[in-house]
Amino acid sequence: MCEANAYLRQDGKDEILMEMVDKVIPEEDGLVLEDIFGRRKMIKARIKELALVDHKIILEKEA
């Protein structure tokens, strides 16, 4: 499988935000995360890091 887990980095710690993310779609107001089941989550954040071998998407809230 090629999906990744999305984490929100706050105060140097990574908290799981969404598992099995298949798509990250940039929108005007932030990012839309979509998992392999079609569930979506919108977050006002930016991509801090993509660790593709580790299947991690690290996000950081926008101020």
Side-chain angles (χ1 to χ4, degrees):
M1 294 287 211
C2 296
E3 69 275 352
N5 292 333
Y7 298 84
L8 184 61
R9 183 166 288 166
Q10 296 185 69
D11 302 322
K13 296 180 183 177
D14 295 341
E15 288 185 34
I16 188 91
L17 183 65
M18 189 175 200
E19 295 180 329
M20 297 182 283
V21 175
D22 181 50
K23 293 181 185 177
V24 178
I25 305 160
E27 297 282 337
E28 264 186 51
D29 295 335
L31 300 170
V32 174
L33 306 177
E34 185 175 313
D35 72 9
I36 60 173
F37 303 108
R39 294 181 292 224
R40 291 178 156 217
K41 185 178 281 194
M42 170 68 135
I43 182 166
K44 288 189 179 211
R46 66 182 185 93
I47 297 172
K48 177 71 176 173
E49 179 182 339
L50 293 174
L52 300 177
V53 171
D54 295 329
H55 303 278
K56 285 186 171 182
I57 301 165
I58 309 295
L59 305 175
E60 203 171 62
K61 283 233 179 188
E62 290 189 337

